[in-house]
Amino acid sequence: MPADYRLRGQAAVVTGSTSGIGQALAEALAAEGVDIVLNGLGDPEQIEADRRRIAAQTGVRVLHHPADMRQPDQIADLVACAHREFGRLDILVNNAGVQHVAAVEEFPVDKWDAILAINLTSAFHTTRAALPIMKAQGRGRIVNLASAHGLVASPFKSAYVAAKHGLVGFTKSCALEVARAGITVNAICPGYVKTPLVEMQIADQARTRGLPEARVIDEVILAAQPNRAFVTYDQLAGLMLYLVSDMGAGVTGAAYALDGGWTAA
């Protein structure tokens, strides 16, 4: 029998949810009866088509807010929009993120600034805006999408690793502050997920290395994951739904590794 997370009638904001992981998590929440504010960039027609599809399939209210995760005023308006339109805000999922790979001495300053702003600082701004609403309700759930790179490092990803380590630390600090307010704050630290971006990386690596894509996946992309398997959207959604439900009420300040054993050693 499918789990009943008892989330119907709640409201959520999911940042970076117009594609990939964020969209999958938003759809999982909508399927449980949660009203959703999507956020992210992309083709406006595609975003609107996805918004209508999710609403039609689930029967919940689905909005889109185009807040730029580098702009604090726009982020504050994103949270205010959810509260204004739905009258509540129960769940905040901080998922927005970008990546750039380069040696430290060659790392473009604008890329560093953007990665820290979007992957880390935006979560501060959303959380800062959401906490007064959640405190007034006496309940709230915040889930930060960190990464295995929030627990361990890799070369040439200094900005991403710094931001994700920072996000894990921010998660723990916030959890301690609101531990008696009915609010939990947790992080999910996934390994590689087969998103459209990762699929492009596989194809690029196959061309560059002259290898079949299957070997690129096993020997390059998933080399750090002992189970040699991508984390799936369903696995991420299952953990998130547990954390935002009452079943996860006793869990706060945790950083869950969902990485096929990557960070076990």
Side-chain angles (χ1 to χ4, degrees):
M1 177 181 292
D4 181 2
Y5 295 99
R6 299 181 181 178
L7 301 175
R8 185 162 299 279
Q10 295 190 24
V13 168
V14 183
T15 68
S17 51
T18 52
S19 65
I21 292 171
Q23 187 176 84
L25 297 181
E27 292 193 24
L29 288 167
E32 295 296 326
V34 178
D35 294 328
I36 299 289
V37 179
L38 301 171
N39 157 260
L41 306 177
D43 175 50
E45 291 186 2
Q46 184 60 55
I47 291 171
E48 176 61 14
D50 288 336
R51 186 195 68 78
R52 289 178 177 272
R53 173 182 56 78
I54 297 168
Q57 289 175 346
T58 62
V60 302
R61 293 172 289 176
V62 182
L63 308 177
H64 172 257
H65 192 292
D68 184 331
M69 290 293 105
R70 298 167 296 184
Q71 302 297 329
D73 57 337
Q74 294 185 31
I75 295 171
D77 190 62
L78 165 66
V79 174
C81 171
H83 192 215
R84 181 175 63 249
E85 295 297 325
F86 300 146
R88 59 189 301 122
L89 178 59
D90 305 276
I91 299 164
L92 170 63
V93 180
N94 288 308
N95 167 76
V98 292
Q99 173 66 292
H100 185 78
V101 178
V104 171
E105 68 272 23
E106 298 170 358
F107 214 98
V109 172
D110 62 331
K111 295 292 187 183
W112 174 277
D113 290 344
I115 289 170
L116 268 290
I118 295 168
N119 295 25
L120 174 59
T121 306
S122 70
F124 159 74
H125 290 299
T126 55
T127 303
R128 181 176 183 272
L131 283 179
I133 301 168
M134 293 178 173
K135 285 182 177 180
Q137 294 172 171
R139 186 189 187 281
R141 299 287 185 266
I142 299 173
V143 177
N144 297 320
L145 261 292
S147 166
H149 280 121
L151 304 173
V152 295
S154 292
F156 309 113
K157 297 181 179 180
S158 57
Y160 189 82
V161 170
K164 294 301 187 180
H165 270 68
L167 188 57
V168 170
F170 178 70
T171 298
K172 293 179 179 182
S173 184
C174 286
L176 296 177
E177 290 186 22
V178 298
R180 298 184 67 182
I183 302 167
T184 66
V185 190
N186 291 289
I188 299 176
C189 300
Y192 279 101
V193 184
K194 202 171 185 181
T195 62
L197 270 177
V198 169
E199 288 180 343
M200 286 191 291
Q201 288 179 32
I202 293 167
D204 289 343
Q205 291 275 8
R207 284 192 296 271
T208 301
R209 296 169 182 263
L211 294 174
E213 290 192 2
R215 283 189 61 189
V216 168
I217 291 170
D218 189 63
E219 299 174 15
V220 181
I221 302 295
L222 297 181
Q225 292 185 205
N227 70 345
R228 293 297 197 275
F230 285 105
V231 177
T232 68
Y233 289 152
D234 284 348
Q235 290 164 357
L236 282 166
L239 179 51
M240 176 204 64
L241 290 171
Y242 165 72
L243 291 174
V244 302
S245 74
D246 285 343
M247 288 183 281
V251 180
T252 195
Y256 276 90
L258 183 54
D259 61 10
W262 180 348
T263 59

